[in-house]
């Protein structure tokens, strides 16, 4: 009986998580369909993109397992940091047409657990 109760509890938790995630997925799919190649080409040319653009491209790099460029902090050469903007410009944004195809073909049903773990802090931001 305990095992059955435990299984039911897990199923209910999973359904709650799914019910919470599906509306966000639908919004994301609509936004993706509205995305224009010209907008991505414009983003690619930005030298200092807005924080939201950098954050979005950082998340995309994580989702597609693109490693960040390691940079030296200009204010303190002893400090290194991950630069996902550079990685995004040299990776997904280097071929905007392919990037859009990759977004539409992304296998959202089979995201590796390691990627989900890396994405969790982004998803928990408000």
């Amino acid at each position: 009986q305990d095992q059955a109760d435990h299984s039911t509890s897990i199923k209910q938790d999973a359904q709650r998580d799914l019910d919470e995630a599906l509306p966000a997925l639908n919004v994301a799919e609509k936004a993706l369909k509205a995305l224009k190649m010209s907008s991505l080409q414009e983003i690619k040319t930005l030298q200092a993109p807005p924080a939201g653009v950098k954050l979005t491209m950082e998340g995309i790099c994580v989702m597609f397992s693109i490693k960040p460029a390691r940079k030296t902090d200009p204010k303190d050469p002893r400090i290194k940091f991950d630069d996902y903007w550079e990685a995004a410009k040299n990776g997904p944004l280097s071929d905007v047409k392919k990037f859009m195809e990759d977004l539409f073909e992304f296998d959202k049903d089979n995201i590796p657990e390691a990627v989900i773990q890396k994405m969790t802090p982004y998803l928990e931001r408000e």
Side-chain angles (χ1 to χ4, degrees):
Q1 180 62 24
D2 281 346
Q3 195 166 11
D5 289 346
H6 183 66
S7 295
T8 301
S9 175
I10 290 172
K11 181 180 175 186
Q12 289 171 339
D13 285 348
Q15 187 61 50
R16 240 187 333 272
D17 290 346
L18 183 61
D19 291 345
E20 188 177 307
L22 283 177
L25 177 61
N26 291 334
V27 168
E29 286 176 338
K30 283 182 184 177
L32 181 57
K33 288 176 184 170
L35 190 61
K36 294 186 172 110
M37 195 177 317
S38 60
S39 298
L40 290 174
Q41 288 167 329
E42 183 179 337
I43 287 171
K44 179 176 145 179
T45 66
L46 298 173
Q47 293 302 313
V53 170
K54 286 179 88 168
L55 181 62
T56 300
M57 293 311 300
E58 184 173 329
I60 286 170
C61 286
V62 171
M63 292 297 294
F64 284 96
S65 299
I66 297 167
K67 294 196 182 309
R70 290 292 287 164
K71 295 260 186 124
T72 302
D73 186 329
K75 296 176 186 165
D76 186 346
R78 297 171 295 168
I79 298 174
K80 298 265 189 199
F81 67 95
D82 290 339
D83 186 351
Y84 281 97
W85 178 242
E86 174 115 356
K89 288 193 305 185
N90 294 328
L93 292 173
S94 66
D95 184 344
V96 174
K97 186 174 189 285
K98 182 181 180 321
F99 177 41
M100 286 195 68
E101 290 169 4
D102 289 346
L103 289 173
F104 280 106
E105 294 170 4
F106 186 76
D107 186 1
K108 64 186 179 296
D109 297 320
N110 293 300
I111 301 170
E113 185 61 32
V115 172
I116 291 170
Q117 293 301 318
K118 280 182 152 182
M119 283 302 298
T120 300
Y122 297 94
L123 301 173
E124 292 174 347
R125 292 182 185 187
E126 286 295 324

